[in-house]
């Protein structure tokens, strides 16, 4: 798991170097896209832990969800409907679900449940 | 060999890191923009800016008042300096420290003639002062309050400031040329007496541009001191 963490650090450093700049007006859209990406990442970690990981599904979901969240928010702003609420709700809920599964899996791994008598 | 999930997860984490970092910068920039701030924040900003504007306006008014006061003082100072310069120029002209030019007359005694001596020269000069001459010179000697005119004990010729003059005697007087030329020949005057009674040849010319040189003697006060207004008894 150390390699993805190194990748995260590398990504943060690259971002600090401001290789990519987004106009301030798009801050909200990017924020929702970040939430979608977090959901995908935690979903990927969960899938690895439960042994159901598929890299194609993961990578496509990662980028597609981020793009979809960004687009939803953008379109919602244009039509006067806060569609990003839907993205926040869905990705937020899934984020917590995935985190809960990861937590439980780790707990089971570190502290195996005792057999019922 | 890297496991399949490690490589793809690493790619996603790199992208996530970039997104997080970029979002952080974007959000910081957005917070600085007025359009992204809440109503309360905008009211605070507006209040602060209004107070600042009022302070600056008061400061500007204060500075304008100071400036106008300084301008007034400066104008007064300039007027005082100008007045003092005028006074100085007048004193310098009066004491013969500056050359003077202007219209006037030239009285010439061209050659040695009977009875022309220092007394007649002094009379002519005094008459010129009396009829309105503003500056007088004799043979390039400026006549001032301190000029001494004597006669040579042997020849009776005029001696100015210790220097004996030689012919021709040229008396230059600055003033109204017409008035000077007419009045200097007044009946009973020195020139009238010399020209018509003694038949002396004396030329009088009106000129438009005469130059009277600076005085050769220096005026110095050794014992006398000016009395200031505040020292008057």
């Amino acid at each position: 798991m150390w390699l993805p963490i190194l990748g995260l650090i590398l990504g943060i450093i690259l971002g600090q170097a401001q290789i990519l700049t987004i106009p301030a007006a798009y801050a909200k859209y990017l924020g929702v896209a970040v939430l979608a990406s977090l959901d995908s990442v935690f979903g990927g970690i969960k899938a690895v832990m439960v042994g159901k990981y598929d890299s194609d599904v993961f990578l496509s979901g990662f980028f597609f969800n981020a793009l979809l969240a960004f687009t939803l928010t953008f379109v919602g702003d244009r039509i006067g409907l806060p569609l990003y609420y839907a993205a926040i709700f869905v990705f937020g809920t899934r984020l917590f679900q995935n985190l809960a599964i990861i937590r439980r899996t780790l707990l089971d791994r570190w502290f195996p449940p005792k057999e019922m008598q | 060999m890297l496991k399949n999930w490690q490589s793809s997860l690493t790619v996603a984490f790199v992208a996530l890191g970039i997104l997080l970092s970029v979002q952080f910068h974007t959000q910081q920039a957005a917070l600085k923009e007025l359009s992204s701030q809440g109503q309360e924040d905008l009211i605070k900003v507006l209040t602060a800016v209004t107070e600042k504007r009022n302070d600056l306006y008061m400061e500007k008014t204060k500075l304008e008042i100071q400036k106008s006061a300084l301008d007034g003082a400066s104008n007064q100072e300039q007027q005082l300096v100008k007045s003092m310069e005028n006074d100085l120029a007048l004193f310098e002209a009066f004491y013969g420290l500056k050359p003077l030019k202007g219209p006037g007359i030239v009285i010439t005694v061209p050659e040695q003639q009977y009875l022309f001596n220092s007394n007649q020269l002094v009379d002519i000069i005094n008459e010129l002062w009396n009829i309105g001459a503003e500056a007088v010179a004799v043979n390039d000697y400026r006549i001032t309050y301190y000029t001494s005119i004597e006669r040579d004990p042997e020849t009776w010729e005029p001696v100015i400031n210790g220097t004996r003059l030689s012919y021709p005697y040229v008396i230059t007087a600055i003033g109204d040329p017409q008035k000077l030329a007419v009045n200097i020949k007044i009946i009973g005057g020195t020139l009238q007496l010399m020209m018509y009674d003694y038949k002396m040849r004396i030329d009088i010319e009106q000129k438009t541009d005469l130059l009277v040189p600076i005085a050769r003697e220096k005026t110095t006060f050794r014992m006398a001191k000016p009395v200031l207004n505040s020292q008057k008894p």
Side-chain angles (χ1 to χ4, degrees), chain A residues 4 12 15-16 27 30 41 53 58, chain B residues 5 8-9 12-13 19 21 23:
Chain A
I12 290 172
Q16 290 293 323
L30 193 64
V41 164
Y53 184 80
F58 170 70
Chain B
W5 67 267
S8 54
L9 210 57
F13 266 69
L19 277 177
S21 206
Q23 170 61 7

Side-chain angles (χ1 to χ4, degrees), chain B:
Chain B
M1 277 295 286
L2 286 175
K3 291 178 184 174
N4 187 32
W5 67 267
Q6 276 186 326
S7 55
S8 54
L9 210 57
T10 303
V11 170
F13 266 69
V14 171
L16 180 66
I18 292 173
L19 277 177
L20 280 172
S21 206
V22 169
Q23 170 61 7
F24 177 77
H25 285 297
T26 310
Q27 187 61 22
Q28 292 301 312
L31 286 174
K32 288 179 187 167
E33 283 196 358
L34 288 177
S35 59
S36 65
Q37 294 187 11
Q39 197 175 5
E40 284 184 14
D41 289 339
L42 287 174
I43 289 170
K44 281 180 191 171
V45 169
L46 182 64
T47 309
V49 169
T50 306
E51 280 177 9
K52 185 75 181 167
R53 188 190 75 98
N54 289 342
D55 288 348
L56 287 171
Y57 184 77
M58 287 180 69
E59 183 74 18
K60 176 176 168 273
T61 310
K62 218 186 286 181
L63 288 171
E64 279 176 352
I65 292 170
Q66 280 183 4
K67 181 178 175 290
S68 61
L70 287 171
D71 283 348
S74 173
N75 282 341
Q76 282 182 350
E77 198 174 314
Q78 282 177 356
Q79 284 176 358
L80 185 64
V81 168
K82 199 173 177 183
S83 167
M84 288 175 76
E85 282 175 351
N86 288 341
D87 287 348
L88 182 64
L90 198 65
F91 287 131
E92 285 178 336
F94 183 77
Y95 284 106
L97 299 174
K98 285 276 168 72
L100 296 173
K101 63 177 184 177
I105 59 170
V106 177
I107 303 166
T108 310
V109 183
E111 57 196 4
Q112 186 168 10
Q113 295 176 62
Y114 179 68
L115 279 179
F116 189 84
N117 55 46
S118 61
N119 290 343
Q120 290 159 328
L121 180 62
V122 170
D123 287 344
I124 291 169
I125 291 169
N126 283 334
E127 283 175 20
L128 282 169
W129 291 132
N130 288 338
I131 62 177
E134 294 167 10
V136 177
V138 178
N139 283 24
D140 287 338
Y141 282 90
R142 173 83 166 266
I143 308 299
T144 67
Y145 186 71
Y146 285 91
T147 309
S148 70
I149 302 177
E150 302 162 296
R151 68 181 179 195
D152 187 287
E154 293 176 3
T155 63
W156 281 41
E157 287 175 329
V159 175
I160 293 184
N161 291 341
T163 306
R164 198 176 75 180
L165 299 185
S166 57
Y167 284 95
Y169 301 140
V170 180
I171 303 166
T172 308
I174 291 178
D176 182 345
Q178 185 71 26
K179 192 176 156 191
L180 291 177
V182 171
N183 289 341
I184 198 66
K185 291 189 284 187
I186 193 167
I187 295 171
T190 306
L191 273 188
Q192 200 267 347
L193 191 72
M194 291 163 70
M195 291 167 78
Y196 298 106
D197 289 2
Y198 298 148
K199 307 294 181 194
M200 292 171 68
R201 185 192 154 199
I202 295 174
D203 301 324
I204 301 172
E205 285 178 287
Q206 294 183 35
K207 299 273 187 184
T208 53
D209 192 20
L210 290 174
L211 180 72
V212 169
I214 62 168
R216 298 187 186 185
E217 74 277 12
K218 296 289 179 193
T219 305
T220 52
F221 296 101
R222 289 181 187 149
M223 305 302 288
K225 289 179 181 172
V227 178
L228 301 177
N229 283 339
S230 57
Q231 293 173 332
K232 280 184 180 174

Side-chain angles (χ1 to χ4, degrees), chain A:
Chain A
M1 193 62 196
W2 55 270
L3 196 61
I5 291 171
L6 278 180
L8 180 67
I9 293 168
L10 176 69
I12 290 172
I13 291 169
L14 286 173
Q16 290 293 323
Q18 302 206 344
I19 54 169
L20 183 66
T21 51
I22 304 285
Y26 294 134
K28 190 169 70 178
Y29 312 146
L30 193 64
V32 182
V34 167
L35 179 65
S37 304
L38 276 173
D39 164 59
S40 298
V41 164
F42 283 111
I45 294 170
K46 182 203 78 178
V48 169
M49 294 182 88
V50 298
K52 291 182 178 175
Y53 184 80
D54 184 327
S55 65
D56 295 337
V57 172
F58 170 70
L59 280 179
S60 62
F62 180 87
F63 291 108
F64 183 78
N65 283 350
L67 189 65
L68 180 67
F70 188 96
T71 311
L72 263 184
T73 312
F74 180 78
V75 172
D77 267 3
R78 292 295 172 277
I79 63 174
L81 192 66
L83 289 176
Y84 68 97
Y85 283 148
I88 289 173
F89 180 75
V90 171
F91 295 129
T93 309
R94 276 202 345 211
L95 188 70
F96 279 105
Q97 284 174 347
N98 290 334
L99 277 171
I101 294 168
I102 292 167
R103 177 172 51 84
R104 281 183 197 147
T105 309
L106 284 174
L107 281 173
D108 287 346
R109 202 172 287 175
W110 292 334
F111 308 106
K114 291 174 183 173
E115 295 270 339
M116 291 289 286
Q117 292 295 322

